């Protein structure tokens, strides 16, 4: 691989991004964004090598589609004039990211991302946008001047270009220094902890399976022979576990969450609670009641009460 | 299985999203869109976590995304409450207007 090609791709990306941030007619802007997306696709292609890097070609094609979608929508997000459309383009980024997660076999996180981000957080953003969006009276259009004129695009894109060069340089030189790839066998480590499911699935394969005594189990009950995982009964019989006995992605993530990060889980709960209190306190509007209003409120409540008493009688 | 060059591809996508988020945060002047750009940076970090977790067959990467979601939700709630507060005071969302915080 030519040493300078990735940096040329980074430079093309940065120049197209800079030009796309300037206010310009829609057609020119879309063309510039397409150039920026093409440059980022070139960069990804240079670093990945070829589609054969993926397990099969369709996975590589989907990777390219989802990543280019995410990058294009992200650029449109930071260059669009209207904040509501920015929020909608962010939904597109979230959906593409969820697609990438599906390719990475993180099914639970993919759908959690769509539910939490596209479903909850984005709705909050849309609410605030709708609450606060007012047309500008000055130039008599529905576009706000602070939305269409960028602030310091040149220096921002320069910083972004340097950061992108640093990241791509690190990724290129770092791929040789990566740690050993994990083995698929580590996926089996969760199964003995899900003891009921483990027992039921073993019983389903071989109802006469004799469990070894409990003191012999100590953690390494599942053994490996090449690609196959198997358990050994107390009679010395081996039982090969089929791949569909493997815990599902949600079970794996859940086990890792409560087993490896219990304190962080508690902290996350506290953070969410505090954020809820903080938001409620910040956004409440204190209503000052005048003397007259207090009196009328008291009068209406006492008259209500006398009405209720009258009904009861 | 996942080759190291496929991992490099995922990492460069996450880096690109991070860079676009940072550029957007500097460039945009609307407070709400600035916060959207921070969410964009969170997305980039999440992709990197999941990709490395997949490479190492370690599910901690996906657990980190749960924590990223938590922080993003808390940040969105607090930041948007602050934005509503500021908008009530100055009747604008332009971040340059809030450069001087005194009345």
């Amino acid at each position: 691989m030519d040493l300078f090609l990735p940096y040329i791709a980074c430079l093309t990306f940065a120049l197209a991004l800079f030009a796309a941030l300037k206010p310009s007619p829609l057609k020119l802007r879309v063309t510039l964004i397409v150039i920026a997306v093409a440059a980022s696709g070139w960069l990804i292609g240079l670093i990945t090598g070829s589609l054969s890097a993926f397990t099969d070609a369709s996975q590589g094609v989907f990777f390219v589609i989802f990543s280019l979608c995410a990058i294009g929508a992200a650029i449109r997000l930071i260059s669009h004039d209207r904040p509501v459309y920015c929020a909608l383009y962010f939904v597109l980024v979230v959906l593409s990211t969820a697609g990438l997660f599906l390719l990475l076999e993180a099914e639970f996180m993919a759908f959690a991302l769509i539910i939490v981000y596209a479903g909850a957080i984005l709705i909050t953003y849309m609410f605030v946008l709708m609450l606060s969006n007012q047309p500008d009276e000055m130039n008599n259009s529905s576009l706000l001047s602070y939305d269409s004129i960028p602030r310091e695009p040149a220096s921002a894109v320069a910083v972004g270009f340097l950061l992108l060069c640093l990241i791509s340089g690190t990724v290129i030189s770092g791929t040789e220094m990566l740690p050993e790839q994990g083995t698929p066998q580590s996926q089996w480590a969760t199964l003995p902890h899900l003891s009921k499911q483990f027992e039921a699935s073993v019983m389903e394969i071989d109802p006469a399976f004799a469990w070894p005594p409990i003191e012999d189990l100590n953690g390494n009950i599942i053994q490996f022979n090449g690609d196959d995982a198997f358990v050994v009964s107390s009679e010395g019989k081996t039982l090969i576990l089929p791949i569909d006995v493997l815990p599902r992605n949600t079970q794996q993530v859940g086990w890792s969450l409560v087993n490896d990060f219990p304190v962080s889980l508690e902290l996350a709960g506290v953070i969410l609670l505090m954020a809820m209190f903080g938001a409620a306190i910040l956004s409440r509007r204190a209503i000052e009641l005048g003397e007259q209003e207090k009196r009328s409120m008291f009068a209406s409540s006492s008259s209500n009460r006398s009405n209720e008493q009258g009904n009861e009688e | 299985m996942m080759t190291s060059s496929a991992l490099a591809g995922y990492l460069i996508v996450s880096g690109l999203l991070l860079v676009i988020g940072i550029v957007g945060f500097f460039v945009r002047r609307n407070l709400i869109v600035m916060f959207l750009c921070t969410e964009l940076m969170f997305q980039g970090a999440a992709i990197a976590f999941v990709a490395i977790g997949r490479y190492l067959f370690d599910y901690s990467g996906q657990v980190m995304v749960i924590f990223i979601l938590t922080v993003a939700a808390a940040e969105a709630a607090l930041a948007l409450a602050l934005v509503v507060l500021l908008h009530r005071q100055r009747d604008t969302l332009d971040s340059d207007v809030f450069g001087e915080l005194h009345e």
Side-chain angles (χ1 to χ4, degrees):
Chain A
M1 179 165 48
D2 197 326
L3 207 59
F4 291 105
L5 275 181
Y7 299 108
I8 295 172
C10 289
L11 187 65
T12 321
F13 173 78
L15 288 178
L17 184 63
F18 173 67
L21 287 174
K22 293 262 185 188
S24 55
L26 183 66
K27 263 188 185 164
L28 177 62
R29 201 171 243 191
V30 169
T31 319
L32 288 167
I33 290 170
V34 168
I35 293 172
V37 170
S40 60
W42 184 29
L43 180 62
I44 294 168
L46 282 174
I47 285 175
T48 315
S50 66
L51 288 183
S52 61
F54 296 88
T55 40
D56 52 22
S58 69
Q59 212 180 7
V61 171
F62 276 118
F63 166 71
V64 171
I65 291 173
F66 282 134
S67 50
L68 292 189
C69 257
I71 291 164
I75 297 174
R76 198 74 191 103
L77 191 164
I78 66 167
S79 65
H80 207 287
D81 289 337
R82 293 170 194 273
V84 176
Y85 283 86
C86 293
L88 291 178
Y89 275 109
F90 186 68
V91 175
L92 193 54
V93 177
V94 170
L95 291 181
S96 318
T97 313
L100 288 177
F101 280 10
L102 284 180
L103 289 181
L104 289 167
E105 296 174 17
E107 295 88 6
F108 173 71
M109 282 329 297
F111 293 108
L113 198 75
I114 292 178
I115 292 168
V116 175
Y117 256 111
I121 296 180
L122 253 293
I123 297 298
T124 324
Y125 274 95
M126 290 299 258
F127 260 118
V128 176
L129 278 173
M130 298 291 176
L131 276 178
S132 58
N133 220 6
Q134 289 162 334
D136 206 349
E137 290 99 6
M138 297 290 281
N139 48 21
N140 219 357
S141 77
S142 61
L143 271 187
L144 295 163
S145 64
Y146 61 82
D147 273 332
S148 47
I149 300 165
R151 175 178 57 195
E152 307 271 354
S155 49
V157 172
V159 169
F161 168 67
L162 290 180
L163 193 60
L164 188 60
C165 284
L166 190 67
I167 290 174
S168 46
T170 315
V171 168
I172 290 167
S173 65
T175 38
E176 283 101 49
M177 295 186 284
L178 278 174
E180 274 299 298
Q181 189 171 13
T183 55
Q185 295 169 357
S186 60
Q187 288 175 296
W188 288 96
T190 312
L191 187 56
H193 298 294
L194 308 167
S195 50
K196 276 201 175 146
Q197 183 186 340
F198 186 29
E199 209 177 321
S201 51
V202 168
M203 285 301 157
E204 204 172 288
I205 303 164
D206 179 11
F209 184 78
W211 288 94
I214 195 100
E215 53 269 18
D216 293 355
L217 292 179
N218 58 22
N220 47 9
I221 176 155
I222 296 182
Q223 294 167 17
F224 299 101
N225 160 31
D227 287 336
D228 288 324
F230 63 89
V231 284
V232 183
S233 70
S234 60
E235 299 150 354
K237 246 175 28 178
T238 60
L239 181 74
I240 292 180
L241 296 168
I243 196 79
D244 54 332
V245 174
L246 199 67
R248 303 277 181 251
N249 176 259
T250 315
Q251 289 175 317
Q252 302 266 23
V253 174
W255 177 255
S256 181
L257 179 65
V258 294
N259 187 49
D260 301 340
F261 303 96
V263 181
S264 316
L265 184 62
E266 296 288 330
L267 270 178
V270 173
I271 287 175
L272 280 178
L273 185 71
M274 286 303 136
M276 194 178 77
F277 284 155
I281 289 171
L282 277 177
S283 58
R284 110 201 122 139
R285 197 193 294 241
I287 301 172
E288 294 290 323
L289 289 181
E291 196 63 29
Q292 197 68 39
E293 286 149 330
K294 272 182 191 164
R295 203 166 291 153
S296 67
M297 254 183 74
F298 181 74
S300 68
S301 66
S302 61
S303 72
N304 279 344
R305 212 171 294 146
S306 63
N307 278 348
E308 279 166 18
Q309 281 169 357
N311 288 341
E312 276 168 19
E313 283 164 9
Chain B
M1 300 296 269
M2 186 177 176
T3 59
S4 58
S5 34
L7 174 65
Y10 283 104
L11 288 183
I12 205 72
V13 172
S14 86
L16 277 165
L17 282 184
L18 183 86
V19 165
I20 294 171
I22 288 174
V23 171
F25 192 81
F26 285 140
V27 163
R28 295 306 298 255
R29 292 161 67 198
N30 188 321
L31 280 173
I32 297 179
V33 182
M34 285 168 78
F35 284 117
L36 270 180
C37 290
T38 62
E39 307 283 342
L40 206 58
M41 291 189 248
F42 280 136
Q43 295 285 309
I47 292 177
F49 270 123
V50 174
I52 294 174
R54 174 75 180 79
Y55 178 78
L56 298 175
F57 279 106
D58 189 341
Y59 288 89
S60 318
Q62 296 179 38
V63 174
M64 286 303 154
V65 180
I66 295 181
F67 294 134
I68 288 179
L69 281 182
T70 311
V71 172
E75 180 241 323
L78 279 180
L80 291 177
L82 273 176
V83 167
V84 169
L85 207 67
L86 288 172
H87 182 262
R88 264 189 220 144
Q89 284 197 349
R90 297 284 166 92
D91 213 32
T92 177
L93 287 175
D94 190 353
S95 60
D96 289 346
V97 172
F98 302 105
E100 294 167 358
L101 276 176
H102 63 81
E103 285 292 314

